[in-house]
Amino acid sequence: MKNQITPKDVSSKYINRDLSWIQFNRRVMEEAQDPETPLLERIKFLSIVSSNLDEFMSVRVAGIRDQIKAGYTKKDFTGYTPAALLKKLMARTSLMIGEQYKTYRDLMRQLAKENIVFTSYNDLNHSQQKAMDEYYHDIIFPVLTPMAVDQSRPFPLVHTLGLYLSVVLCKNSDEACSEPYFAIVQVPSILPRWIQVPMRTNSKKLEFVMLEDVIKQHIHTLFSGYTPVAVDAFRLTRNADMTLNEEGAEDLLEEIEKELRKRRWGAPVRLEVQKGIHPWALETLQEEFELSEGVFEIDGPLDLTYFMKFSMSLSGKDHLRYPPITPRYPVEFKTEEDMFTVLQQRDVLVYHPFESFDAVNDFLYQSAHDPSVLAIKMTLYRVSGNSLLVQSLAHAAESGKQVTVVVELKARFDEERNIAWARKLEKAGCHVVYGLVGLKTHAKIMLVVRQEETGLRRYVHVGTGNYNDSTAKLYTDIGLFTSNQVIGEDASALFNEITGYSAPHQWQAFGVAPTDMREKLFELIRREKKYALEGKPARIIAKINSLSHQEMVDELYAASQAGVKIDLIVRGVCCLRPGVTGLSDNIRVISIVDRFLEHSRIFYFENGGKADVWLSSADWMSRNLTRRVELMCPVFDRQLQQSIIQILNMTLRDNVKARELLPNGVYLHVTTPEASFRSQFVAQRIEQWKV
């Protein structure tokens, strides 16, 4: 029997969002540590840990620092002041980094067993060193720029997340080195971070040296007349948040381009330095960046994000990767060449990456080339580098169709790419809209208006993920194709609200943030609470990426206390504390971190036996429910509802990659007496979930 935990046993009935995020990144690191995970996949997970931490530091920690700088001392709803939270985050992050590099060293040993070796320049034989010397002089040296720091040359701009070398020098004429000199050299990001060394005679080993190691060995070539005393790697993280004055911006696109340039000068947040860095170099860097805390000594290569490309670059090593999966084309569209004919008869559900994103590409392609199609409207939040969708939209506009594209320029870290797509679409004749002032447009929806014999008909696609064919191979997401009249009318009204002047719409089917989604969700939760109080079956299942909205947590607590059984599948941040007696006895929270990023947002409400099933773009966070244009769309087709419920039930059965959140905020692997059940692997067999 589990020990009962009451509200008195926990410091707060909420878990802090940022501390919960640390726990999430730790779960990602556990995948890098799992010996059951293929070796090159483990390396990818370690890379993801690093990129996650970069974003966390440049956004979340940067925001907390801004609060402290502004003198903000009020506690958040989890009981932390900014200063207390920052102190705890820095301590937890330091522990995580130690574990991260311990994992790195273990992975290096495992790679060596597979004859994949990272070595130092000094451990190469003579012919290998000669090859690296030639590579340095021919390829690396021409792109290096030594930047001295002295009275006449101020400290140069250090770009966020760039890798640099600090160089402490002595003049050759100064034997006592009474006055050291300081310079920095940027490790060029244009070159590969790792360099493959020619193989040794009669050896099967693939050997690699790091780019910065080769530069260090030849650093003297950049400073004639001086002797390098110490060469150490460092990396700076700056505040990456943008502060936009959208009201005063005549051209939002130009305003965002200005803010992107400003990001280069964002306030320093974190300084990573090589372990054993020269004390004077460290002092110089800390003084320049004004960082007394947030300095991390790294026992290994800085910036492990390079591992992602490295793991993908190795050929002939497929035995160290997951077996490839071939997404199936949705069978509903296979039987009929004309997708519109299929959708006139029934709705179609597509579950990525197990089913192919080609169905979305083909739908838009057919719409763009169909002479009966009059108008196409869609939202674009994050688009892949070579998007077929953008090409189809451009063709549709050039052929005279009315094409409206809502491009979210403020999609963090994708701003530059989205600006490029916006310009391309405008040039092709599309009406490009940048959303509503003060709100990010995060809804994922496409509307096609077609002239048919019976009149105009609307076809709609709504999704839980972005219109991005690259991430559709890596994320689990669900898309719904429908020609349902009510959904079509709501879709038209939604685009009119975004692109024009329209009073808030009385939605027939949709829930839309920021106007009414939050209240609609509260109503659905309260309805289950009512059924529970009446002694009727009451159940909620929600699959989301994050849960941090205080009122939402409180509504779920109230439903639990009324007897509603609640299962939450929350991949990342969760501020709700489950399993607390008298508060959340009936709530279970699990998180799944596996081969594919769990990204779909699905809401299920039992509704007295008449199930309500919704797909959504929104997580249950304050930003999603109050500061973004988000969408939740009902699934009316009973057969498709059962397929979605089957997906949820499969996820809840997972006892291989699922971790359960305990009342104390710790996650533990789910263990059950049943045979191993790995939901993502089972989902690859379409017949297991498709009804």
Side-chain angles (χ1 to χ4, degrees), residues 4-5 31 77 99 102 116-117 197 231 238 274 280 291 296 320 354 364 368 389 514 554 609 626 628 677 681 690:
Q4 289 191 330
I5 293 182
E31 292 303 301
F77 73 92
E99 192 174 338
K102 182 181 176 185
I116 302 168
V117 178
V197 181
V231 187
R238 295 183 181 274
Q274 186 178 327
W280 188 63
L291 278 174
F296 298 93
L320 301 179
F354 315 111
L364 185 55
L389 296 173
D554 289 341
T626 62
R628 289 184 172 187
F677 190 91
F681 280 27
K690 204 156 203 174

Side-chain angles (χ1 to χ4, degrees), residues 120-122 136 140 144 163-167 185 187 193 210-223 228-234 273-277 298 300-302:
S120 70
Y121 176 91
N122 290 329
Y136 173 80
I140 303 174
L144 294 180
L163 184 62
Y164 290 80
L165 298 175
S166 67
V167 188
V185 177
V187 177
R193 182 78 186 279
M210 299 300 291
L211 176 60
E212 60 267 31
D213 188 22
V214 177
I215 297 173
K216 283 182 186 180
Q217 293 300 322
H218 299 85
I219 199 75
H220 60 277
T221 64
L222 299 173
F223 301 98
V229 175
V231 187
D232 302 291
F234 73 93
V273 298
Q274 186 178 327
K275 187 176 182 181
I277 186 173
I298 306 297
L302 274 59

Side-chain angles (χ1 to χ4, degrees), residues 118-126 128-129 200 207 209 213:
F118 278 84
T119 189
S120 70
Y121 176 91
N122 290 329
D123 289 334
L124 301 176
N125 64 28
H126 177 72
Q128 289 175 318
Q129 287 188 352
R200 299 173 194 258
E207 291 185 85
V209 293
D213 188 22

Side-chain angles (χ1 to χ4, degrees), residues 346-618:
R346 59 165 302 176
D347 293 354
V348 175
L349 190 77
V350 183
Y351 187 18
H352 310 299
F354 315 111
E355 291 187 305
S356 176
F357 191 78
D358 287 347
V360 180
N361 285 331
D362 291 348
F363 178 67
L364 185 55
Y365 180 88
Q366 185 175 326
S367 301
H369 289 79
D370 187 332
S372 297
V373 168
L374 307 179
I376 301 172
K377 303 181 181 186
M378 75 179 298
T379 58
L380 290 179
Y381 190 75
R382 297 189 196 277
V383 188
S384 65
N386 185 27
S387 175
L388 295 174
L389 296 173
V390 171
Q391 294 174 30
S392 292
L393 289 168
H395 175 84
E398 287 163 353
S399 61
K401 301 184 193 305
Q402 289 290 311
V403 179
T404 304
V405 188
V406 181
V407 177
E408 182 46 73
L409 296 179
K410 302 184 292 295
R412 186 177 286 135
F413 304 120
D414 275 336
E415 299 95 343
E416 290 182 78
R417 180 180 293 167
N418 285 3
I419 286 170
W421 287 131
R423 289 209 162 110
K424 181 176 180 179
L425 290 167
E426 284 179 332
K427 192 174 180 181
C430 299
H431 299 295
V432 179
V433 179
Y434 303 133
L436 299 168
V437 171
L439 301 173
K440 281 187 180 180
T441 303
H442 194 248
K444 292 81 169 73
I445 182 167
M446 183 195 315
L447 168 66
V448 174
V449 181
R450 190 169 186 259
Q451 179 68 59
E452 299 179 356
E453 289 182 9
T454 55
L456 289 182
R457 187 160 191 161
R458 297 178 179 91
Y459 296 84
V460 177
H461 174 271
V462 294
T464 64
N466 299 310
Y467 288 113
N468 186 313
D469 50 8
S470 295
T471 56
K473 296 171 185 172
L474 305 172
Y475 298 2
T476 67
D477 271 308
I478 296 180
L480 173 71
F481 292 93
T482 181
S483 64
N484 179 279
Q485 183 179 340
V486 172
I487 289 176
E489 290 172 359
D490 271 6
S492 286
L494 176 61
F495 279 105
N496 289 343
E497 278 201 11
I498 295 172
T499 64
Y501 294 109
S502 292
H505 185 67
Q506 294 298 310
W507 306 105
Q508 302 174 76
F510 287 174
V512 176
T515 51
D516 79 328
M517 184 188 291
R518 178 178 55 179
E519 288 307 316
K520 191 154 199 157
L521 285 167
F522 288 173
E523 287 172 16
L524 293 168
I525 294 170
R526 290 166 189 163
R527 186 179 65 188
E528 296 302 311
K529 176 182 170 184
K530 175 177 173 289
Y531 281 131
L533 291 172
E534 291 171 354
K536 298 176 183 177
R539 180 93 187 272
I540 297 170
I541 308 174
K543 183 176 183 301
I544 47 182
N545 298 331
S546 298
L547 169 58
S548 61
H549 188 278
Q550 183 184 2
E551 289 178 75
M552 183 67 73
V553 173
D554 289 341
E555 290 288 343
L556 292 168
Y557 281 157
S560 169
Q561 290 162 32
V564 180
K565 184 183 178 186
I566 302 171
D567 283 292
L568 302 175
I569 306 158
V570 188
R571 184 194 77 217
V573 169
C574 183
C575 294
L576 180 146
R577 204 180 285 275
V580 178
T581 303
L583 177 70
S584 54
D585 315 58
N586 293 307
I587 304 178
R588 178 177 182 245
V589 178
I590 66 166
S591 169
I592 290 181
V593 179
D594 201 348
R595 174 179 183 175
F596 303 110
L597 183 77
E598 291 288 340
H599 195 254
S600 51
R601 290 94 164 187
I602 309 169
F603 314 145
Y604 166 84
F605 300 91
E606 190 156 321
N607 189 26
K610 298 177 182 178
D612 260 354
V613 178
W614 303 76
L615 301 179
S616 182
S617 60

